[in-house]
Amino acid sequence: MEIIHISAECYPVAKVGGLADVVGALPKYQNKLGHIAKVVVPAYDTKFIRESEFEVTYDAWANYGNHHFQYRILKEKTNKLGFDLYVIHIQGLTDRPNVYGYSDDTERFVAFQIATLDWIVQWEHRPDILHCHDHHTGLIPFMVSNCIKYKAISGVPTVLTIHNAQYQGQFGWDKLYYIPAFDLWKGGLLGWEDAINPLASAIKCAWKVTTVSPSYLEEMMNNARGLESLLRQERWKSIGILNGIDSEVWDPETDPMLSKGYNLKTVETGKLANKTALCDVFQLDPSKPLFTFIGRLVDEKGADLLPDIFYTALQQHGDNINILVLGSGDNWVEGRLNQLKDIFTGKYNAYIGYNEQVSHEMYAGADFLIMPSRVEPCGLNQLYALRYGTVPIVRRIGGLKDTVIDIGDGGFGICHDQTSIWDVTHAINRAVELYNDKKAFKAVRKTMMKIDHSWDNAALNYIELYQILK
Ligand code: ADP
Ligand code: GLC
């Protein structure tokens, strides 16, 4: 089968969060299964794109409404990612350093989606599946089925994967003219409440809807920022498939970003070496348990509570714990996390910003990784933590619930029920107890590292899903 993944992010081309990790890995594993999976993303001004070699495969003009733009499809020459990578360059729209956050994001992603389909529709052959990821590609299922100019590909099945229903990409009906011509009576398929809603439209129009964990699928029926009733209505064509991890990129034995590689046998010495190096950089004490948080500093992740959680835990445990944070997001949270550095120097530190290298060093060097998420469709951090022998401390929600079993239930993680200061500090107390029981702690590390969360299984689940549509 030929599968075209269309996405705003793809690791290592452009990454903001887990969407990139999924789109950078799943196609590779689908190719390993003997299929042809390709990826299409916008050509941002990122290091990867600047430093890779591309050839122009298509060059044309397109338009959204009366805005004409020239676009160029560039194919990465070496196939170094394990799949064919196509980036779409649209002068003045895609060629910026960041993936999101511009006032014209609507126009950028509308143009990207139109360019993608204009290009695909003139191929001599038809792909088997168009796989859209999140709202940035959410207009594609509607356009493929309904826009007159895409009639030739209207029979190609579309699949939507919802990585996060909190973000829907709404824009006003005044921009309806951006969408290429279609029978106007079908316009209702684009909207939800008072706006054009690309995520809602994709839920209505895609042949199948998937999300990234079985628990999140159920939770969305009651918590999906206004889309609950729609999701319930389309439940019949929806399925939760748990994400995997790219076990080649995330392998503590071969990870080039670590100060020392390690495996199941060498985990104790390996983790200690990485912890020592990390503590050295961040002025922490490697003889104490190291708690970490890595992620976007937004309410969804419970980040607004982190400063108080850390303050309380550091007050309670005195000199007996270390905390290290890596993240960026809400300014208010960033500021408060920075302030704690002065209060708890030597036992707390924070790196405010995005740094892939530091994240790998932290998964390897940490003892515990905290994820007090309010919403967590899947979560990849806990999966990386497991692979690197770091105990996840998670709220029982979404993908966290599906992947972490509490030590009290014979598992390997520490789970709590609420995103609250009390629940998380209580979980930290339990973690300290586990850390002090050296034998149990070592056993838990080994158990975690043996778990296989690679994409092999999930990639197959997606293939089976596509096969139903053929
Ligand atoms: P989400 O996509 O909701 O942010 P995930 O857990 O699925 O959450 O994935 C987050 C990904 O982004 C992981 O690969 C994580 O290591 C990475 N990440 C998040 N914040 C940072 C940061 N500040 N620096 C480096 N990597 C980060
Ligand atoms: C989203 C979700 C996260 C998930 C990721 C990849 O960003 O917030 O939970 O792991 O997508 O599917």
Side-chain angles (χ1 to χ4, degrees):
M1 265 193 285
E2 184 182 7
I3 307 129
I4 315 296
H5 289 275
I6 310 161
S7 169
E9 298 181 37
C10 172
Y11 179 80
V13 188
K15 171 167 169 176
V16 176
L19 169 62
D21 291 3
V22 171
V23 178
L26 171 60
K28 186 161 91 179
Y29 282 78
Q30 291 180 329
N31 282 340
K32 282 190 195 161
L33 291 172
H35 300 280
I36 304 167
K38 302 177 174 175
V39 173
V40 186
V41 290
Y44 308 105
D45 183 16
T46 62
K47 185 165 180 281
F48 179 93
I49 293 189
R50 279 195 305 274
E51 291 176 1
S52 303
E53 265 193 88
F54 290 93
E55 62 197 354
V56 180
T57 57
Y58 191 63
D59 195 340
W61 284 83
N63 65 291
Y64 58 93
N66 50 9
H67 307 271
H68 292 269
F69 61 89
Q70 189 174 15
Y71 68 97
R72 202 172 288 153
I73 313 281
L74 306 160
K75 180 170 184 284
E76 197 274 321
K77 272 187 176 171
T78 62
N79 206 296
K80 60 185 171 187
L81 301 183
F83 49 80
D84 285 347
L85 168 73
Y86 295 90
V87 299
I88 303 195
H89 181 269
I90 307 173
Q91 190 131 22
L93 286 178
T94 60
D95 50 355
R96 303 182 199 166
N98 296 330
V99 176
Y100 317 115
Y102 300 101
S103 59
D104 58 352
D105 278 355
T106 296
E107 287 72 14
R108 296 170 71 227
F109 289 109
V110 166
F112 166 65
Q113 294 174 81
I114 290 175
T116 303
L117 294 184
D118 277 15
W119 169 54
I120 292 175
V121 78
Q122 54 78 47
W123 290 3
E124 277 166 14
H125 72 285
R126 303 279 160 251
D128 294 295
I129 298 285
L130 296 178
H131 192 146
C132 305
H133 296 267
D134 272 352
H135 75 82
H136 327 95
T137 56
L139 297 170
I140 287 179
F142 174 85
M143 294 199 290
V144 168
S145 313
N146 300 300
C147 291
I148 295 154
K149 72 168 168 170
Y150 302 132
K151 199 166 175 31
I153 51 168
S154 62
V156 178
T158 50
V159 173
L160 164 74
T161 294
I162 304 176
H163 294 264
N164 198 330
Q166 299 292 304
Y167 305 96
Q168 301 171 4
Q170 297 97 327
F171 56 94
W173 283 106
D174 55 320
K175 293 181 177 172
L176 180 63
Y177 74 102
Y178 286 0
I179 315 289
F182 60 92
D183 288 335
L184 270 182
W185 60 269
K186 294 178 179 165
L189 290 170
L190 286 167
W192 192 251
E193 292 172 347
D194 296 332
I196 294 178
N197 183 317
L199 189 68
S201 173
I203 295 168
K204 294 180 203 179
C205 301
W207 295 29
K208 284 276 177 193
V209 174
T210 78
T211 189
V212 290
S213 70
S215 286
Y216 186 57
L217 179 66
E218 297 313 321
E219 288 162 12
M220 277 196 304
M221 305 296 148
N222 298 310
N223 180 15
R225 221 166 240 187
L227 300 186
E228 300 80 6
S229 60
L230 175 62
L231 283 156
R232 272 183 233 139
Q233 197 178 311
E234 303 293 351
R235 175 75 176 86
W236 62 276
K237 63 173 186 188
S238 308
I239 176 175
I241 300 178
L242 193 65
N243 282 337
I245 63 173
D246 187 332
S247 48
E248 287 168 11
V249 174
W250 296 94
D251 180 351
E253 192 161 15
T254 55
D255 189 334
M257 300 190 204
L258 305 191
S259 20
K260 188 176 163 70
Y262 60 95
N263 56 28
L264 195 59
K265 284 197 189 124
T266 55
V267 52
E268 293 302 322
T269 49
K271 279 192 79 72
L272 183 60
N274 283 288
K275 182 178 180 180
T276 308
L278 190 65
C279 287
D280 198 36
V281 174
F282 289 99
Q283 293 115 43
L284 300 169
D285 179 351
S287 70
K288 307 283 154 59
L290 177 58
F291 291 84
T292 51
F293 173 91
I294 300 171
R296 295 181 293 118
L297 299 174
V298 295
D299 289 0
E300 251 174 271
K301 303 280 178 193
D304 50 317
L305 294 187
L306 289 178
D308 288 331
I309 289 169
F310 295 153
Y311 185 87
T312 313
L314 287 161
Q315 287 269 328
Q316 261 179 25
H317 291 277
D319 289 330
N320 293 324
I321 61 168
N322 289 307
I323 296 177
L324 180 60
V325 182
L326 167 65
S328 61
D330 291 351
N331 289 342
W332 175 82
V333 177
E334 290 184 354
R336 287 205 59 207
L337 288 172
N338 267 333
Q339 276 170 1
L340 292 181
K341 289 187 199 171
D342 298 329
I343 311 174
F344 298 107
T345 313
K347 28 192 161 166
Y348 168 91
N349 214 333
Y351 182 119
I352 301 299
Y354 185 92
N355 192 315
E356 194 73 25
Q357 163 100 26
V358 175
S359 78
H360 284 242
E361 289 167 357
M362 285 173 66
Y363 289 117
D367 296 303
F368 300 97
L369 179 90
I370 299 177
M371 296 182 77
S373 306
R374 291 195 176 84
V375 179
E376 197 60 82
C378 177
L380 296 172
N381 298 17
Q382 83 280 14
L383 303 182
Y384 300 144
L386 293 172
R387 187 98 208 277
Y388 283 60
T390 298
V391 179
I393 300 180
V394 305
R395 176 170 176 221
R396 285 189 188 88
I397 188 104
L400 299 175
K401 187 162 131 189
D402 293 346
T403 54
V404 181
I405 304 172
D406 192 89
I407 43 170
D409 300 323
F412 42 81
I414 295 179
C415 303
H416 56 91
D417 287 321
Q418 301 302 330
T419 301
S420 69
I421 298 169
W422 159 256
D423 268 39
V424 184
T425 47
H426 180 66
I428 291 176
N429 298 346
R430 291 183 63 208
V432 172
E433 270 174 40
L434 174 66
Y435 182 86
N436 289 334
D437 182 346
K438 292 289 170 227
K439 203 168 148 223
F441 192 52
K442 280 186 190 169
V444 164
R445 277 182 168 164
K446 291 220 178 325
T447 309
M448 291 187 295
M449 288 184 70
K450 283 187 202 150
I451 303 171
D452 179 9
H453 271 297
S454 84
W455 269 106
D456 294 313
N457 286 337
L460 198 60
N461 292 337
Y462 279 106
I463 298 292
E464 286 163 359
L465 179 86
Y466 305 148
Q467 264 151 359
I468 302 172
L469 302 177
K470 281 199 66 192

